[in-house]
Amino acid sequence: MIATRQQRLGNFAGLGLVLVAWVLYAVYASPTQGWTFFLQLTVNGIILGSIYALIALGYSMVYGILKLLNFAHGDVYMIGSFIGFGVLSVLGGALSPAIPVVLLVLCMFAVAMIGSGVLGLVIERFAYRPLRNAPRIAPLISALGVAFFLENSALLLFGAQYRNYDGYDLISFNGIHIGGPTGVFVSYLGVIVISSSVALMVALVALVRWTRFGKAMRAVSFDREAAAMMGIDPDRVIATTFFVGSALAGAAGVMFGLVYSQIYHLIGFIAGLKGFTAAVVGGIGSIPGAMLGGLLVGMTESWAKGYLNGNVADLVVFGILIGFMLIRPTGLLGTPALQKV
Amino acid sequence: MAEATPPPSAPSATQIGVDSWVTESDERRLHRAGAWGAVLRGWERLPPPGKLALVTPAIAVPFIPIVSSGNLFNYGIFILLYALLGLGLNVVVGFAGLLDLGYVAFFGFGAYTFAFLSGTHHEKGHVFTHHWPAELSIPVAIVLCGVLGLFLGSTSRRLLGDYLAIVTLFFGEAFVVFTNSADPYGVTNGSNGLANIDPLKFYAFGQHLTIASVRGYYWFLLGCVIVVLVVLHFMSESRTGRAWKASREDPLAAELMGIPVNRLKITAFIFGAGIAGLAGTVFAAAQTGAFPQNFSTQVLILIYAVVILGGVGSLTGMLVGAAVIIASNQVLDSTSPPNLQRVLFYAALIIGFALMFRSSWRKLAVVAASTVALGFAAHAIASAAWPRGVHGSVTSGGFLTGAIKHWVLLPTNPGRIADYVYVLVIVLAVSLTQLKGWWRVALAPFVFVFTAFLWENLLIQQPAVTRYVLFGALLIVLMAIRPQGLFGTARVEIA
C-alpha cells in the first residue's frame, strides 16, 4: 500500500503548519535578535543537514534492501573522515598543500569515498552475509559489535586527541554576505558542502532510477527471491548497495571534517544516530525522504542550539525521533510495510 | 528457500529442516559422542536445584578465601552484578525476544534513585541528603524502574524488531545525556555525579544492620543473584514464561492462540527493568556513588556480551558468561598487572586456534609446530637483515620475558609499523575465515605470529581499549558461528 496523495498532502500540511508556527514564535516572540539570527541558524542547519542527509541515505538504502539497521554506518562515516584527514596530511596539510587545492579536495573525497566503500563491502561480507537467514536479532547484535570494533580500533590507531582539518585555512575564511555585512553569512566552505552533497544526491537518484543496477536494486528490495528468479544476483546487488551507501558516508565524513574541523573517534556514534533519525523522519527506505529528513534534523538541531542550548539539542533530536517512531513510524514520505504471513 | 540440501557432514540422514529432523533435534543433542556428550547428558539430566548447587559455588567460592578486598570488589562484585544484569536482560531479549538497547538506563535509573532516596541529591547548586533505610529505598527504586520499564515497554506495542531497538537505544543515550549535562535543576550533579551515598542500612527486628565491607556486599549480591535466578527459573517454566517464548518465536501465531502478546511484551520490559534497578541500587551503595560514565554504551556492550556468550534464554549461561566476560574485562583494565593480561591474551589466542582446528589433531599439530618455527625464523632473519627490529624491550615481561624476546620481533620504535600490522592482522584474520582445509593451515601460523607482534608492540600498552575491540569482535564472531552462545540451545528453523 503506497501512501495516497491525500495522506501525503496531509503530512506536508501538518509539517508546514508546525514550521510556520515555529518561525512566528522564533522571530516575534523570542527575545533574541529576530530574522537575521533565525535565518543564520537556518543556514547553519542546512549545512549540517546536508551532511546528515548523506548519512541518512546510506541507512535508508541498506534498510530498504536488507531490512537491517546498520549500526556501524556512523562509524564508517568516522573512518571516512579519518581517511580524508590522512590524505590531507600526506599531501602537505591545510597550511602548505603540495598540489592545487581543488585537486587536493577532490583527492580527499575520492579516496575517502573509495576507502569507506570498501570498508562497507568488507563489513557486509563478513558480519552480515553469514546471517542472511538468521533470526532478525542476530545481525543487529553483529552490527553493534562492528560499531564497537571500529570505534575502538580508531581509538587504538589514532588516539583520543582531536585531529584538525583546518578546512577554513585550506579553502577560505570568506563567504557570501546576504543582506549586507550584518546579514546572514554563508562561508564558501558551506557553499561547497551544500552543493557537493546536492551533486552526490542527484547522482544517486540518477543511479537508482536510470541504470541497470538501480533497477536491480529496486527489484531486490521489493522481493529478493523473485528478483533472484529473474536472474539478478541479490548478493552482488546488496554488496554494491553497501558500497554506495558507505561511500556517501565517507563523503559526509570529509565534509564534516572540512566544516567543523575537529574529528575524533567518537563522532560516528552520535552522527549515526542523527542520520538514522533523519532517515526515519523522512521515511526509511525512501531516498527523497532521507534528504528531506536530513535537512529537517539539521535545522532542528541548529535551532535548538541557538534558542535553547547545546546540551539540550541532542535531547530535542532524540525526542523528535521517538515521537516520529510512535506517531508515524513510516515517516513523511515512507510507505507502510505490510506484514506478510 | 531452495537450498535445503544437507551438508555432507550432517550426522543424521534426515534432511535438515524437514519435520522429522526437527523432532529428532533433542535426540541428536543427547547422543553426542565421547566424554563431552556424557557430560552434556549428565548436565541435562540434573534437576535444576542440582544445577544451581553446582554452578553457584563454582563462581562464588574462588573469591572467598584468596583475594584482597580490592580484588573482591573488582572481580567478585562486578561478576555478580553483571550476572544480575544479564539475568534481567535475558528476560527481555532471551524470553520475550525484544532487542532492548536502552537497558543500561534502567541500571542507571536504579542507582540514581537509590542515591536520591538514601544519600545526596543536588538542586540548583544546593545539596540535600535523605537517609531512607535500604529496605524501603530498594523496593521503591525497583518499582520506579518498573514504571519506567512500563513506559518504554509500551512503545513496543507499536514498534517491531529494529524500530524498538533504535527507540530503546535513543532512550539509553538520552539518559546519559540527561544525567551528564542536560538536567535543568542539576539534580544529578552533571558529570561530577553523586557521591556520599549511604551504604545499605537495614532496620529489622529492632536493630540496625549496615553492610559496611566489600565482603558483605559480595554476600548480599550473591543472595540477590540466587533469588532472581530461582524466581526466573520458575517464571520461565510458568504460563507466562511459555507465553513469552511463544510470542518470541512467532508473535502472529501466538496472538491467534489467544496469548496477549502486547501485554506480555510490556511485562517482560517491567521485569527486566526491575532487575536492572535492583542491580543499580546495590551498585550505587557498594560504590557509594553514581556517575554518568557508569551507565555508558560500553556497559551496555558488556551486558550484551555476557548475555550472548552465556546463551540467550539460558539462566546458568548468564553466570558463566558474566564470569568469563567480566573477569577478562577486569584483567585487561589498565590497573591490573600486564603479565596477567599477556597470559590471558595468549591463552585466548591459543584456545581460539585450537577451536578452529579442533576437527583434526594433525592439522592442529602442524599449525602449532610451524607457528613456533615461523617465530624463530622471522627472528633469525630480522636479526641479520633488520637489526632495529629485534632491539626493543619487552613491556613488563615477567616469566615470559625470555620466550618473547627470542620469538617475537620487537622493533625499537614500533609506532607506525604496529599500526600497519593492526590493519594487516584484521585482513589476515578475515581471510583466514574464508580459506578451507590446508590453505587455512598454511595461513594460520602467520596470523598467530603477526597477532603476537601486534600484542607486544601496540595492544599491551592500551589493554583498556584492546578489550573493547575484542568484545566487539567477539559479538561478531559469536553471531556468525554460534549464535546460541555457550549454554543456549540452537534455534531450529523450519524451511
Side-chain angles (χ1 to χ4, degrees):
Chain A
M1 188 175 73
I2 292 170
T4 59
R5 212 184 151 76
Q6 216 168 1
Q7 277 171 330
R8 276 194 196 184
L9 279 179
N11 283 336
F12 280 113
L15 183 71
L17 275 181
V18 172
L19 281 180
V20 167
W22 158 248
V23 170
L24 286 178
Y25 168 78
V27 174
Y28 293 108
S30 87
T32 32
Q33 302 98 312
W35 275 115
T36 324
F37 185 62
F38 174 77
L39 287 178
Q40 182 67 57
L41 288 180
T42 310
V43 166
N44 296 350
I46 291 175
I47 296 174
L48 188 60
S50 52
I51 294 175
Y52 288 157
L54 285 181
I55 303 173
L57 283 171
Y59 263 117
S60 216
M61 285 163 66
V62 167
Y63 191 87
I65 202 159
L66 267 188
K67 303 286 172 283
L68 162 74
L69 281 186
N70 183 8
F71 284 121
H73 195 63
D75 294 292
V76 172
Y77 152 89
M78 178 267 298
I79 297 280
S81 190
F82 271 104
I83 294 176
F85 180 77
V87 173
L88 181 63
S89 344
V90 166
L91 294 178
L95 300 175
S96 55
I99 55 175
V101 175
V102 180
L103 218 57
L104 175 59
V105 172
L106 282 181
C107 263
M108 280 160 67
F109 272 108
V111 177
M113 285 174 78
I114 292 171
S116 347
V118 171
L119 181 64
L121 275 183
V122 173
I123 292 172
E124 192 273 332
R125 179 69 188 74
F126 294 98
Y128 301 147
R129 194 177 295 179
L131 307 175
R132 211 43 68 73
N133 294 319
R136 284 285 282 277
I137 214 164
L140 284 178
I141 291 171
S142 190
L144 215 56
V146 174
F148 211 57
F149 182 85
L150 288 180
E151 218 164 79
N152 286 292
S153 297
L155 176 59
L156 206 57
L157 294 183
F158 309 127
Q161 74 270 33
Y162 290 102
R163 301 298 166 101
N164 249 318
Y165 260 71
D166 295 321
Y168 292 94
D169 285 311
L170 181 66
I171 294 178
S172 163
F173 282 96
N174 292 327
I176 307 164
H177 290 273
I178 303 168
T182 55
V184 177
F185 173 73
V186 193
S187 62
Y188 288 131
L189 205 48
V191 175
I192 291 175
V193 165
I194 294 176
S195 49
S196 50
S197 84
V198 167
L200 284 174
M201 290 183 215
V202 169
L204 179 72
V205 169
L207 180 75
V208 172
R209 228 172 245 182
W210 291 311
T211 62
R212 272 179 88 84
F213 160 69
K215 211 176 200 175
M217 190 182 128
R218 280 178 287 145
V220 171
S221 80
F222 193 74
D223 188 332
R224 197 188 309 159
E225 282 176 33
M229 286 172 207
M230 297 297 134
I232 297 170
D233 180 0
D235 280 341
R236 219 174 121 183
V237 172
I238 291 170
T240 319
T241 309
F242 263 87
F243 182 85
V244 173
S246 305
L248 291 178
V254 174
M255 288 180 194
F256 179 87
L258 284 174
V259 179
Y260 298 94
S261 271
Q262 288 182 327
I263 59 167
Y264 67 113
H265 67 284
L266 288 179
I267 57 170
F269 188 66
I270 291 285
L273 289 183
K274 302 244 174 79
F276 178 78
T277 309
V280 168
V281 167
I284 201 151
S286 142
I287 288 175
M291 302 173 194
L292 181 68
L295 289 183
L296 281 177
V297 169
M299 289 194 289
T300 313
E301 188 184 333
S302 172
W303 289 330
K305 271 186 186 147
Y307 287 107
L308 303 168
N309 68 56
N311 296 326
V312 186
D314 285 352
L315 281 187
V316 171
V317 173
F318 295 167
I320 289 180
L321 175 97
I322 294 181
F324 249 94
M325 285 278 193
L326 292 179
I327 298 165
R328 195 174 156 74
T330 49
L332 289 171
L333 301 181
T335 51
L338 283 180
Q339 199 185 0
K340 284 182 207 156
V341 183
Chain B
M1 295 301 292
E3 64 269 24
T5 42
S9 63
S12 74
T14 328
Q15 264 202 339
I16 291 182
V18 301
D19 289 359
S20 51
W21 186 84
V22 175
T23 48
E24 283 165 20
S25 158
D26 279 340
E27 222 172 299
R28 222 177 6 256
R29 225 161 1 108
L30 286 177
H31 284 95
R32 204 123 342 119
W36 180 238
V39 171
L40 222 57
R41 272 196 297 282
W43 180 254
E44 300 231 343
R45 278 204 205 114
L46 213 60
K51 285 183 193 171
L52 186 66
L54 271 180
V55 168
T56 317
I59 292 181
V61 167
F63 297 107
I64 300 161
I66 46 169
V67 290
S68 64
S69 88
N71 275 345
L72 185 66
F73 188 82
N74 278 342
Y75 291 92
I77 297 232
F78 270 94
I79 287 177
L80 289 178
L81 196 68
Y82 276 87
L84 201 56
L85 287 167
L87 285 170
L89 186 60
N90 202 10
V91 174
V92 190
V93 178
F95 292 169
L98 303 164
L99 194 60
D100 177 5
L101 296 179
Y103 184 72
V104 72
F106 299 120
F107 179 45
F109 190 70
Y112 271 99
T113 313
F114 182 79
F116 190 89
L117 298 175
S118 310
T120 58
H121 82 273
H122 299 237
E123 205 164 316
K124 307 220 171 184
H126 300 285
V127 185
F128 297 91
T129 56
H130 307 269
H131 297 287
W132 289 24
E135 73 262 24
L136 207 59
S137 53
I138 290 182
V140 169
I142 292 177
V143 168
L144 285 179
C145 277
V147 171
L148 199 63
L150 175 73
F151 271 115
L152 190 62
S154 58
T155 60
S156 70
R157 286 175 72 90
R158 292 188 57 109
L159 302 171
L160 294 169
D162 348 356
Y163 276 177
L164 182 68
I166 202 86
V167 164
T168 50
L169 179 65
F170 274 73
F171 177 77
E173 275 309 296
F175 180 81
V176 174
V177 172
F178 182 80
T179 51
N180 229 333
S181 52
D183 167 12
Y185 298 102
V187 177
T188 59
N189 200 19
S191 52
N192 294 329
L194 298 174
N196 300 324
I197 296 174
D198 290 354
L200 289 178
K201 281 185 197 152
F202 293 96
Y203 181 76
F205 305 115
Q207 46 185 328
H208 294 277
L209 176 73
T210 306
I211 300 180
S213 66
V214 173
R215 199 145 293 193
Y217 280 106
Y218 178 73
W219 290 116
F220 183 76
L221 258 176
L222 190 62
C224 290
V225 169
I226 291 177
V227 168
V228 170
L229 203 59
V230 170
V231 168
L232 287 184
H233 172 72
F234 286 118
M235 200 76 195
S236 77
E237 302 297 319
S238 74
R239 250 170 93 87
T240 314
R242 280 175 285 137
W244 271 335
K245 284 169 200 159
S247 59
R248 170 190 74 193
E249 293 300 326
D250 191 339
L252 201 62
E255 184 92 57
L256 291 173
M257 292 298 182
I259 294 173
V261 173
N262 278 330
R263 207 194 308 156
L264 281 166
K265 283 182 187 168
I266 295 176
T267 322
F269 261 98
I270 295 175
F271 255 82
I275 294 171
L278 173 66
T281 57
V282 184
F283 175 64
Q287 196 189 225
T288 65
F291 309 100
Q293 67 268 26
N294 295 140
F295 314 111
S296 60
T297 323
Q298 288 165 350
V299 177
L300 182 76
I301 299 279
L302 277 184
I303 306 175
Y304 264 94
V306 167
V307 173
I308 300 295
L309 184 74
V312 171
S314 149
L315 294 178
T316 40
M318 293 307 109
L319 297 182
V320 179
V324 174
I325 295 285
I326 302 307
S328 24
N329 185 48
Q330 303 294 51
V331 167
L332 289 174
D333 195 67
S334 45
T335 53
S336 71
N339 204 36
L340 193 60
Q341 298 168 352
R342 174 176 282 130
V343 172
L344 178 79
F345 185 81
Y346 283 116
L349 202 60
I350 290 171
I351 290 174
F353 273 77
L355 284 180
M356 192 186 281
F357 295 104
R358 68 183 178 282
S359 54
S360 148
W361 61 267
R362 202 177 286 126
K363 282 180 188 164
L364 190 60
V366 171
V367 170
S370 51
T371 303
V372 173
L374 184 67
F376 286 121
H379 204 275
I381 294 170
S383 57
W386 187 46
R388 203 193 111 198
V390 289
H391 285 302
S393 55
V394 182
T395 313
S396 44
F399 71 95
L400 283 172
T401 313
I404 291 163
K405 212 163 171 51
H406 292 105
W407 188 69
V408 185
L409 294 184
L410 293 162
T412 38
N413 191 7
R416 265 295 114 94
I417 306 170
D419 287 356
Y420 292 131
V421 171
Y422 183 84
V423 179
L424 181 69
V425 164
I426 294 177
V427 172
L428 284 182
V430 153
S431 32
L432 193 63
T433 61
Q434 295 306 298
L435 296 175
K436 295 234 158 49
W438 288 98
W439 286 109
R440 183 182 272 194
V441 175
L443 186 62
F446 289 93
V447 178
F448 197 105
V449 168
F450 275 117
T451 314
F453 176 86
L454 186 63
W455 167 260
E456 296 300 339
N457 288 299
L458 174 70
L459 300 183
I460 196 164
Q461 281 136 25
Q462 301 183 42
V465 184
T466 303
R467 61 184 174 184
Y468 291 126
V469 172
L470 293 180
F471 291 144
L474 178 78
L475 285 185
I476 307 171
V477 172
L478 268 181
M479 274 301 123
I481 59 173
R482 197 177 162 83
Q484 74 269 32
L486 289 179
F487 285 81
T489 34
R491 203 66 85 73
V492 178
E493 296 276 325
I494 302 171

